Amino acid sequence: MVTLLKEIQSKYSSFSDKEKGLADYLLSSPSEASKCTIKEIAEKTNVSVATITRFCRKVSCKNFVELKMNLARETHHEEAEDMDSKIRSQYMDVIRDIQGLNSRKSIMKALKLVTNAKRIFIYGLGSSGLAAQELNYRLSRMGFASEAVTDPHLMIIRSTLLKKGDLLLAISRSGQTRELISSVNEAKKKDVKLISLTAYDHTYLTKLSDEVLWTVHPVRNAYLSTGLDLSALYLIDLISMHFLEDPTRKKIYQETISAVSSQIHINS
């Protein structure tokens, strides 16, 4: 089911600058927006009423009233009073959003690409580099030949040396990071498969991808935008749990965990 918030996220790259400002507000404060008049939203986002009206039609709403109703339906929950409740509510929003963004068909296709790959390279810069390293740990512990690459120069080097049968996993919220896109473009010349984890559709990264797994738009939970993206972590957990259903993968995982633990704990 395509929700309003999902549609705003998927079309984000095609919006004008003013429409992106409006989209940022709706994604970050959907509950508040559902209670505002069109004039109040126009003042908050510094756009005209006419811009909001056109925006409504771009996201498949007949008018502003329908947009407000969809926002209210998709964000309905009890108002949180204390900080713990607010954080719990934000976490629940992220989990609900990420579950609605990715179909089972997309997840299964991504798992098949990982399973069939001879070697797996996971690219990510900045906070996406943290997600790349975490995914690499998970796959390595299950016996996959994987490597996380978080340095832009090393990305270019690795991309130049990739071979047919290799798989590239590119993690980028924006899907527009210049250094990463240059490396991905070089990798595609080697006829490798590409899975991207990103929040934006209609970008150079998604156009090059054989499969896309969607993360939650950064402005949906602004305070979570630094460090490891919670929605990326959810996808990493989902991928890991699917592979651990295989007894062989689970046995390898347990062996590597035991081997690492034996090195960490020194007997007295």
Side-chain angles (χ1 to χ4, degrees), residues 180-246:
L180 183 135
I181 294 301
S182 296
S183 297
V184 169
N185 195 42
E186 189 65 31
K188 291 300 288 184
K189 294 177 183 176
K190 305 298 180 181
D191 198 24
V192 303
K193 296 295 184 182
L194 170 64
I195 300 172
S196 60
L197 276 70
T198 185
Y200 296 81
D201 199 1
H202 308 296
T203 63
Y204 202 71
L205 180 61
T206 58
K207 291 174 183 174
L208 290 172
S209 298
D210 297 281
E211 190 56 59
V212 178
L213 299 181
W214 302 106
T215 58
V216 174
H217 193 290
V219 301
R220 283 284 286 135
N221 297 91
Y223 74 94
L224 293 172
S225 62
T226 56
L228 182 56
D229 174 14
L230 182 59
S231 63
L233 181 59
Y234 179 91
L235 290 176
I236 291 170
D237 281 342
L238 188 62
I239 291 169
S240 302
M241 293 305 291
H242 271 289
F243 282 127
L244 286 174
E245 288 184 339
D246 179 346

Side-chain angles (χ1 to χ4, degrees), residues 70-256:
N70 288 342
L71 286 175
R73 184 173 59 249
E74 293 174 23
T75 60
H76 175 71
H77 51 69
E78 298 297 326
E79 292 292 335
E81 296 181 354
D82 57 71
M83 189 59 70
D84 285 345
S85 298
K86 287 181 180 178
I87 292 174
R88 184 172 62 249
S89 179
Q90 296 262 17
Y91 273 48
M92 291 174 66
D93 285 345
V94 171
I95 299 300
R96 186 188 63 245
D97 286 354
I98 192 68
Q99 289 177 331
L101 286 171
N102 294 287
S103 67
R104 177 175 174 78
K105 183 179 178 181
S106 293
I107 296 294
M108 299 313 293
K109 183 178 178 181
L111 294 175
K112 186 176 181 180
L113 288 170
V114 173
T115 301
N116 294 338
K118 293 179 181 177
R119 299 182 300 171
I120 302 165
F121 294 88
I122 311 167
Y123 290 2
L125 294 171
S127 59
S128 295
L130 297 175
Q133 290 175 342
E134 179 62 28
L135 181 55
N136 177 51
Y137 279 127
R138 305 285 187 93
L139 294 179
S140 295
R141 284 178 168 177
M142 290 184 282
F144 290 98
S146 69
E147 176 184 341
V149 186
T150 58
D151 178 86
H153 291 172
L154 194 55
M155 283 182 187
I156 284 289
I157 294 171
R158 287 286 182 271
S159 292
T160 304
L161 300 175
L162 289 178
K163 298 178 181 178
K164 186 175 182 179
D166 291 337
L167 173 68
L168 177 58
L169 274 154
I171 304 175
S172 171
R173 286 175 176 170
S174 70
Q176 302 175 78
T177 307
R178 183 171 56 84
E179 294 91 342
L180 183 135
I181 294 301
S182 296
S183 297
V184 169
N185 195 42
E186 189 65 31
K188 291 300 288 184
K189 294 177 183 176
K190 305 298 180 181
D191 198 24
V192 303
K193 296 295 184 182
L194 170 64
I195 300 172
S196 60
L197 276 70
T198 185
Y200 296 81
D201 199 1
H202 308 296
T203 63
Y204 202 71
L205 180 61
T206 58
K207 291 174 183 174
L208 290 172
S209 298
D210 297 281
E211 190 56 59
V212 178
L213 299 181
W214 302 106
T215 58
V216 174
H217 193 290
V219 301
R220 283 284 286 135
N221 297 91
Y223 74 94
L224 293 172
S225 62
T226 56
L228 182 56
D229 174 14
L230 182 59
S231 63
L233 181 59
Y234 179 91
L235 290 176
I236 291 170
D237 281 342
L238 188 62
I239 291 169
S240 302
M241 293 305 291
H242 271 289
F243 282 127
L244 286 174
E245 288 184 339
D246 179 346
T248 302
R249 294 288 180 198
K250 188 172 183 178
K251 184 173 182 294
I252 296 171
Y253 188 83
Q254 290 172 333
E255 287 175 353
T256 56

